[in-house]
Amino acid sequence: HTNFTGKDLKKIRFKIGQCFYVWTVITGETRMIKEVEKEPAITPEERLDPDINSIITVPFGVRGRILGLLSIYKNKPEVFNGKDLELTKAVAEHVGLALENARLYKETKLMAITDGLTGLYNHRFFIERLNLEIDRTIRYGRHLSLLMIDIDYFKHYNDTHGHQMGDAVLKLAAELFKRNLRDIDIAARYGGEEFAI
C-alpha cells in the first residue's frame, strides 16, 4: 500500500533521455526492480512515492511501436519474481492489442462516414444528422440553417482541365468550409460538386 494515486500520474512529466521510464520506452526493454533503494538507475523523483520498493515496468504497443508502459509497484522489496514479470508482460500485450483495436475501430468508423476525397462527412451521414437536427429544432423551438452549395461550371472545368484538377478544386472548397465552420456545424459532400452545411 502507498499514498500514490492515479490522479498523481497527471502531474508527472519526464524529459526525453532523463529518466528510467523514458529509457524503458526508448529501449523497449522490460524491467523488474527487486529493490528500488539499491537501483542506481532510479532517482528519488522517479520513485514516485517513498513507499514504493519494488517495480515491474513493461512497455506495450503494436508492430514495434511503443504506446505506453504498464508499471506495477509494491511497498516491499524482493516481492516480484519471474512469474509476476511474465504475467505483467501478458497483460501489457493485451493492453497494446486492445488500444490498437480501438484505434482501428475508430479509424474504420470514421472512414464509413466521411468522403474519401474531401474528408468531409458523406451524404448518408449528413442525412442522418440532418434528421436529428430537424427533430431537435422542433423539440426545442430553435432555428436551423441549411446551406446547399454547388460549384458553378464544374463539369466544364473538369472537361477542360482534367479530373485531377477538378479533385483539387473539390479539396480546396472542403478546406474553405472546414476553416470557416463552428464546432457545432456539420459539412458534407452531398454529391459530385455539391456540398451541404
Side-chain angles (χ1 to χ4, degrees):
H1 173 72
T2 72
N3 295 321
F4 185 67
T5 64
K7 67 181 178 188
D8 296 323
L9 284 173
K10 295 179 181 178
K11 302 172 191 169
I12 298 168
R13 296 287 181 269
F14 294 116
K15 292 183 180 174
I16 296 289
Q18 290 185 343
C19 145
F20 161 76
Y21 296 102
V22 174
W23 187 249
T24 304
V25 169
I26 290 170
T27 62
E29 293 176 6
T30 296
R31 294 291 305 270
M32 180 167 61
I33 310 299
K34 291 192 173 190
E35 191 167 349
V36 174
E37 291 284 339
K38 294 180 180 176
E39 179 58 53
I42 298 179
T43 65
E45 297 82 33
E46 294 165 5
R47 194 171 179 178
L48 305 176
D49 187 286
D51 290 338
I52 291 173
N53 284 296
S54 297
I55 301 173
I56 291 179
T57 186
V58 179
F60 61 83
V62 285
R63 291 190 288 280
R65 194 170 123 251
I66 304 295
L67 300 173
L69 286 177
L70 176 61
S71 297
I72 311 292
Y73 304 100
K74 286 281 192 177
N75 64 339
K76 294 177 184 165
E78 302 288 338
V79 292
F80 290 128
N81 59 38
K83 286 183 180 178
D84 297 318
L85 183 60
E86 290 308 311
L87 178 61
T88 307
K89 282 182 182 179
V91 171
E93 188 176 327
H94 284 291
V95 169
L97 287 171
L99 287 173
E100 178 66 1
N101 286 341
R103 185 192 68 77
L104 288 172
Y105 175 76
K106 184 177 179 183
E107 196 175 278
T108 303
K109 191 174 173 186
L110 186 62
M111 285 171 53
I113 62 172
T114 54
D115 173 61
L117 178 66
T118 63
L120 297 176
Y121 289 112
N122 62 25
H123 180 268
R124 183 179 56 86
F125 178 80
F126 183 78
I127 295 300
E128 288 173 10
R129 282 301 303 268
L130 179 60
N131 287 326
L132 287 173
E133 293 301 326
I134 289 170
D135 290 345
R136 185 177 294 151
T137 298
I138 293 167
R139 188 177 327 122
Y140 297 111
R142 295 183 179 159
H143 297 283
L144 175 68
S145 298
L146 173 65
L147 300 174
M148 296 299 295
I149 302 164
D150 179 77
I151 300 175
D152 290 340
Y153 311 111
F154 184 75
K155 184 179 181 330
H156 176 70
Y157 184 86
N158 245 356
D159 293 343
T160 306
H161 301 286
H163 288 285
Q164 285 184 329
M165 292 300 291
D167 287 352
V169 168
L170 294 172
K171 289 178 186 176
L172 177 63
E175 282 305 312
L176 288 170
F177 301 145
K178 288 177 195 174
R179 280 200 306 250
N180 291 288
L181 292 178
R182 302 168 301 174
D183 289 340
I184 60 169
D185 295 330
I186 297 165
R189 184 173 178 196
Y190 199 75
E193 76 281 15
E194 298 172 327
F195 300 89
I197 299 174

